Structure formats: C-alpha cells, structure tokens
Amino acid sequence: MSHDEKKKYTTAELDAMSNEELARLGTELDGVTVAFRKERFPIPNDPAEKRAAVMVGIYLTLGVVLALAFILVYLFWPWEYKYLGQEGLWMYSLYTPMLGLTIGLSIIFLGIGMVNYVKRFIPQEISVQKRHDGPSDEVDRRTLVALLDDSWNTSMIGRRKVIKGLAATGAALAGLSIILPLGGMIKNPWKAGKLGVQGDGTLWTSGWTLHEEGVKLYLGRDTGNMAQEHHGHFTTQGISRLVRMRPGDLDAAGMETVFPLPEDMVNDGDLYNPNADVYEEHMHSIHGPRNAVMLIRLRSADAAKVIERKGQEDFHYGDYYAYSKICTHIGCPTSLYEAQENRILCPCHQSQFNVLEFCKPMFGPAARALPQLPITVDEEGYLIAAGNFIEPVGPAFWERKS
Ligand code: FES
C-alpha cells in the first residue's frame, strides 16, 4: 500500500467505519486477497458445534486434571531415597516416572485440545498478501487492531466460556507445573540447620566446623572403595570410603585431597569393624561443598622458604600444609598442584596460588588467599585438624569480612 493511498482516510472517516468495514479495509490496504473463507458453524446453536465444544472440553479437562495431578505428585508422593530391599522402595521408584507421566500427558491433552479447537472453530481461510516495506502508520495500526478484534469474534472463543476458562486454567497450571519444581532449588542461605559433616547449611560453615563443638576430626583420604556384592546383593557394610592418614602416607612434593572424618565414623586400622556401615556418612563428607582440603607435603628445602601469614604461623605440621581446595574466585576445585613451582592452579579461570606464601593469589581473577586449615598429629600418629578455618571458605558473599 502506498503512503498516498492511506492519506485518503481521515480520522473522522475511520471513526465512522464499523469494525467489519475496518477489518475489510485492513486486508485491502495490506494487499491481502482473501481467496477462500468459510465459517465452521454459520448457523448459531448448530448441534455439531455443541459436539465439537464437548470434545475440545474433554481434552482440555484431561489436561487440567493431569496438571493438577503433577502438582499433587510433586508435593506429596514419597520421594526420599530408599535402598534396595527397604520398605517403600516401589513407591519411591515410581516418583520420577509419575512426574514425567502426569506433566507429559497434561501437555499432550492440552495440545490436542487446542489443535482440535483451531480445526473445528476457527474459520477456514486462504489469504494471499503482497509484502511491502516501511514503518506502519496510523491507518495500519487501527486496521490491525480491528482485524485482531474480528479474529477474536469469529473464532467464537468469546462465546465459548467453558473452553475459554479451561484453556486459561490449563495454561496457568501447565505454567505452574514448570515453575513449581524450581521452588525446590530456592534455599535460604542464612538458615542454619543442625551442624553436621557438611556444616550447618550456611555459607561460613563446613564439616571442619565440627571441631568447634569438640569433635575430633581426622584428615580422611578418599579410597574410592565401592559397594561390594555379597550373596547376590550389594552392600556397603564394612567398607570405608575415608581412612585416616599418617604423615608417612604422603611423599615429599605430594598432594592429597582430604575430607573431615569425625572420630565416630572411623572404620580402619585398629578400629576396623567389618559389621560397621559408615559408607553413607563418608560420602556425605566427600560431598560437603566446602569440605575438600589439599594436604600438601613440601620438600624440606622449600618448606624452609615458606612465608607464614600473620596469625597462621602454627597452622602447619612440619612440612605439611593444608589449604581449602575451594577456589576463592567462584568456587571451583583448585586441583592442580604444580610441585616444581609450588603453585596451585585453578583450572576454571587459571588463578594461581603460591603455596610458599600462605596460598595467596599470584595470577588470575581470585583475589583472596586459600584459607588454611590448622593441622597436627595425634598421640597415635594420625593427622588431625587442630582447629577450624579462621575465615569462610570459597568465593565472596555479603557477610564476608576477609
Ligand atoms: S573459580 Fe578458580 S579461577 Fe575462577
């Protein structure tokens, strides 16, 4: 449509036109030719129209019911882990399939309902439009609104209150079904729970915080042991994932990742009991987000060059130093110990920390030293924590002072 053609219509002329006239004008001005158009139900209260409405209503109702079922399953189905042979395993194992089944069928039925609605109620139409360039002006905007209005009226959705309500409810519930599971991920980072081997849930605690409660914590080495088969079933009884370490277990210029191993969870050496099952607790310690510590044994010549941080002078035991493995940039495991240079490298963004100078950052985006864990050796010769970290482990958060 040319600019001149649109100019022929004044605001008064447009105001005087009916909605139908404006809709027709809109198609003409947009260069649209309606080659074919047929109303699905030109006669009001056609019995076929009612049958079609019932069918669409059934599909949408099923979609709504199944979306509600998904929410109920998500909230009330027994979801807590059950091991093989434990009571309730059958129900637990159906939790994920039930979530998938209800939300999947809900989306399918809502989709079928909407497709059926379009096929049975929206007028059949074949239109051809010429493309044109340039911005839309007043006449285009007015006629477009009129066209949309006309589509709404001819789609009969305004008349079909039940279908309209079911479609809106189904869409709202389907949306809720997608948003609802995200709620499980939202946690209050300041809410402290019971202090355990993973800390109390706040950002400034870890399993090592148990030391402040008088718990003796060994530096537990991860053996990687797995559940073993016994008379046809797998068991973790008598299997220790974490074991205590003595200084002699680590060579000079060596590094070992260790985790807090509380005294009452020890199952190795002279305390080994083949009937004890400490595996799960050990795994909790390994999975503690702030628990991993690098135990480093320096060469004696390097140890002589160490510059201690003020207030941490007695945190090491001989040539053994223990630093948090959680990068102070954004929390990756700083796993790479470069023994020749005595540097720790974080593989995420290449921060480097100087082991000979209290693991202070020397390159990369990390801005704080890796927290040092005070360590010593007990009367039996095992490496233990001599205290908790004196600063929070890992990246920055609002309350951090260091
Ligand atoms: S997380 Fe370590 S450098 Fe970014």
Side-chain angles (χ1 to χ4, degrees):
M1 171 181 53
S2 76
H3 191 63
D4 289 343
E5 277 177 288
K6 288 181 192 171
K7 272 191 169 173
K8 289 177 193 162
Y9 298 94
T10 63
T11 308
E13 283 172 321
L14 292 170
D15 285 343
M17 287 187 191
S18 69
N19 197 62
E20 206 175 318
E21 287 169 329
L22 279 169
R24 199 176 321 118
L25 177 63
T27 58
E28 284 167 13
L29 292 180
D30 273 346
V32 174
T33 307
V34 179
F36 169 77
R37 182 179 171 99
K38 184 177 163 216
E39 301 289 333
R40 304 277 184 178
F41 302 107
I43 303 158
N45 296 323
D46 184 336
E49 183 188 345
K50 287 195 178 131
R51 281 199 300 277
V54 169
M55 168 150 304
V56 171
I58 288 171
Y59 283 126
L60 293 181
T61 304
L62 283 170
V64 168
V65 168
L66 283 157
L68 276 171
F70 169 84
I71 292 169
L72 293 177
V73 169
Y74 179 73
L75 292 176
F76 302 114
W77 198 275
W79 56 271
E80 285 184 321
Y81 173 73
K82 299 277 184 290
Y83 54 80
L84 216 54
Q86 197 177 3
E87 198 184 337
L89 174 69
W90 193 75
M91 287 293 277
Y92 159 73
S93 57
L94 284 180
Y95 179 58
T96 307
M98 284 303 288
L99 286 177
L101 202 68
T102 48
I103 193 62
L105 286 176
S106 169
I107 291 168
I108 286 172
F109 281 123
L110 288 175
I112 294 175
M114 291 320 294
V115 168
N116 260 280
Y117 184 81
V118 171
K119 288 186 78 119
R120 287 166 189 267
F121 289 96
I122 304 291
Q124 287 175 285
E125 186 177 291
I126 298 174
S127 302
V128 184
Q129 182 181 26
K130 282 190 223 150
R131 298 293 303 271
H132 60 84
D133 298 325
S136 303
D137 57 15
E138 178 65 11
V139 67
D140 278 339
R141 288 197 291 270
R142 296 281 291 269
T143 50
L144 178 65
V145 170
L147 277 170
L148 290 174
D149 201 24
D150 186 59
S151 305
W152 174 259
N153 292 333
T154 54
S155 73
M156 293 193 265
I157 195 115
R159 272 180 16 211
R160 295 273 152 224
K161 290 202 168 49
V162 175
I163 289 179
K164 196 166 64 174
L166 283 169
T169 313
L173 286 174
L176 197 63
S177 309
I178 292 165
I179 294 166
L180 203 66
L182 299 178
M185 297 181 196
I186 300 170
K187 291 208 167 70
N188 179 356
W190 295 278
K191 190 172 170 215
K194 192 172 172 324
L195 183 63
V197 81
Q198 294 195 344
D200 66 6
T202 57
L203 293 171
W204 46 91
T205 60
S206 69
W208 302 102
T209 311
L210 282 169
H211 190 279
E212 292 175 359
E213 309 254 301
V215 178
K216 183 176 182 180
L217 295 168
Y218 291 95
L219 273 52
R221 182 169 64 84
D222 183 5
T223 58
N225 287 337
M226 307 287 283
Q228 287 176 357
E229 199 168 357
H230 252 296
H231 307 298
H233 73 281
F234 282 86
T235 178
T236 52
Q237 200 174 32
I239 295 174
S240 291
R241 185 69 191 230
L242 294 177
V243 294
R244 295 173 290 176
M245 284 186 75
R246 295 178 193 273
D249 294 338
L250 196 57
D251 289 334
M255 190 271 272
E256 179 80 47
T257 302
V258 293
F259 303 89
L261 176 58
E263 193 174 16
D264 60 351
M265 291 181 203
V266 171
N267 195 28
D268 61 68
D270 51 334
L271 296 177
Y272 183 70
N273 172 4
N275 297 319
D277 196 346
V278 289
Y279 192 86
E280 192 175 337
E281 292 299 334
H282 287 189
M283 290 308 290
H284 284 315
S285 179
I286 291 169
H287 290 152
R290 289 169 290 277
N291 282 358
V293 159
M294 290 175 288
L295 176 67
I296 296 167
R297 180 176 179 185
L298 296 174
R299 284 176 289 243
S300 300
D302 290 333
K305 294 186 229 159
V306 166
I307 299 168
E308 308 283 2
R309 191 184 195 177
K310 198 162 172 285
Q312 296 182 177
E313 294 88 348
D314 59 351
F315 277 21
H316 64 108
Y317 174 77
D319 299 343
Y320 298 80
Y321 287 76
Y323 293 101
S324 164
K325 191 169 181 159
I326 313 303
C327 185
T328 51
H329 178 219
I330 55 171
C332 284
T334 55
S335 303
L336 308 173
Y337 171 45
E338 212 286 279
Q340 287 303 320
E341 300 288 329
N342 280 302
R343 289 182 190 188
I344 305 276
L345 174 70
C346 178
C348 283
H349 313 98
Q350 279 66 52
S351 284
Q352 291 181 23
F353 303 88
N354 186 353
V355 181
L356 299 189
E357 207 169 342
F358 53 87
C359 266
K360 77 173 188 188
M362 54 197 299
F363 181 81
R368 286 188 313 276
L370 295 173
Q372 188 174 359
L373 183 75
I375 55 169
T376 187
V377 161
D378 70 1
E379 58 287 349
E380 291 179 281
Y382 288 108
L383 283 156
I384 56 168
N388 184 19
F389 288 111
I390 57 170
E391 59 193 319
V393 165
F397 52 91
W398 293 114
E399 294 85 350
R400 269 196 86 127
K401 298 201 174 54
S402 61

